[in-house]
Every structure is written in structure tokens, then in C-alpha cells.
């Protein structure tokens, strides 16, 4: 039987060893845990798993419910199926807003055709907060592209951009002062167009690919 990726939400007692008990049951059913997140911790833990499971979800659900500390187990659609790929936009508030306009409009066009792309934004200022945010994007589940929207970025932010690109993240920068544009995959002058191109680059329903571009500054 081929493994199917499912989402499982478990409501269980909080405390040491709970996660160990849950993952033990999943392992006995040959489930491969793709991601796990503890959503709430007190007074009870609400834990979300995404699991590649070769058996019926109902069998796993029944065995998880047998654990003494478990109060409720639900099988749900995965976040990949619902929210899909993520575009992350980081930088100054006004620029972030303009990039978001382009990204959301373009994502809507692709999502109507069956794609699943979501857009997340965070306005930030300061070299270290921005560098920390860039590095953190590589740890976010389902993040496929980062757009840096600002007027001046360099230094530690440039180092962070090169790090996340080595981890496979697509980075698009606005055409700004500083060294970040030199480190990015694409440099786009118009913020709305930057948002559009970010979505087109990750969408399966688009024929646009970064590798085919003859230039990287637009």
C-alpha cells in the first residue's frame, strides 16, 4: 500500500514523555513523520502531525486514542493541501504592502486553477532583526520563496540571504541600495512585479522558471 500524507491532531495531557508515546504508536504503524508542531501546551497539549502513512488512518487513530493520556484524536487535511506553498515577504512596511498586492493578486489567479499558494508578511527594520528573519524562513514549513522589500539592506542580511539560498530557498530582492541585491536570485525594481514573479516562480500552473531567465535584474 502506498503511503498517503495525512494530518493528525492529538489532544493529550501535557508533560514529559507524551510525544515519545505518540511517536511510538506512529512508528509501529510504519508512519513517517514529515512534520510535528505543539500548538498549545497548557493545560493540555494540542499536537499536530503530518505523517506519510501506509495503513488506514482509522487504524492509527484508534490506537492513538487507546493511550492513557490522550483525550481526542482527529484526522485532518494537511496544511500543504489547504495552504500549500508559502511566499514570505520581509522588509519595510510600505514596500512589503506593495509586494503583497502583487503576490496575492497573482496567487489568486493560480489558486483558482487548482494551485495552493499562501502569502505571509512581516514588516521589520534593523539589520539584525532582518537577518534573523531571513534565516528563520528556511525553518518555516512549506516556505518556497522569500521577497526582501526595502530601500537599503546589506551586511549581515546579505550573509543570511546566501545561507538560505544554499538551503534551496528562492530569494527575490527589490532593486535597493546595499549588497543584498547582489546575493539574491532575482532583483526586481517594481515591488508589485516582485510579488507577481515570486508566485510565478513557485507555481506549478506557471511556465515561468528562474533558471531559464537570461538576466536576473528587472
Amino acid at each position: 500500500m502506498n503511503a498517503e500524507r495525512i494530518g493528525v491532531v492529538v489532544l493529550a495531557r501535557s508533560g514529559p514523555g507524551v510525544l515519545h508515546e505518540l511517536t511510538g504508536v506512529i512508528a509501529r504503524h510504519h508512519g513517517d513523520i514529515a512534520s510535528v508542531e505543539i500548538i498549545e501546551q497548557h493545560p493540555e497539549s494540542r499536537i499536530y502531525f503530518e505523517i506519510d502513512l501506509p495503513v488506514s488512518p482509522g487504524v492509527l487513530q484508534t490506537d492513538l486514542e487507546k493511550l492513557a493520556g490522550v483525550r481526542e484524536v482527529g484526522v485532518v487535511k494537511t496544511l500543504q493541501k489547504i495552504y500549500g506553498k508559502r511566499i514570505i515577504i520581509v522588509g519595510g512596511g510600505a514596500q512589503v504592502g506593495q509586494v503583497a498586492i502583487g503576490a496575492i493578486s497573482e496567487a489568486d489567479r493560480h489558486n483558482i486553477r487548482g494551485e495552493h499558494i499562501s502569502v505571509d508578511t512581516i514588516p521589520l527594520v534593523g539589520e539584525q532583526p532582518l537577518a534573523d528573519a531571513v534565516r528563520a524562513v528556511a525553518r518555516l514549513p512549506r516556505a518556497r520563496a522569500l521577497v526582501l522589500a526595502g530601500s537599503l539592506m546589506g551586511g549581515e542580511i546579505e550573509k543570511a540571504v546566501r545561507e538560505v539560498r544554499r538551503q534551496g530557498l528562492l530569494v527575490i530582492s527589490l532593486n535597493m541600495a546595499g549588497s543584498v541585491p547582489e546575493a539574491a536570485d532575482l532583483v526586481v525594481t517594481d515591488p508589485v512585479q516582485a510579488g507577481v514573479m515570486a508566485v510565478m516562480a513557485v507555481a506549478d500552473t506557471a511556465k515561468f522558471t528562474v533558471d531559464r531567465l537570461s538576466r536576473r535584474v528587472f
Side-chain angles (χ1 to χ4, degrees), residues 8 24 32 34 39 54 68 70-71 80 83 110 117 160 164 170 175 182 186-187:
V8 176
D32 184 8
I39 304 168
V70 171
R71 186 158 71 84
Q80 178 65 44
Y83 287 103
H110 290 281
I117 298 172
V164 297
L170 172 68
N175 198 353
E182 298 173 8
L186 288 178
V187 181

Side-chain angles (χ1 to χ4, degrees), residues 10-26:
V10 179
L11 187 61
R13 63 174 173 82
S14 295
V18 174
L19 195 59
H20 174 73
E21 293 176 9
L22 296 172
T23 57
V25 173
I26 294 168

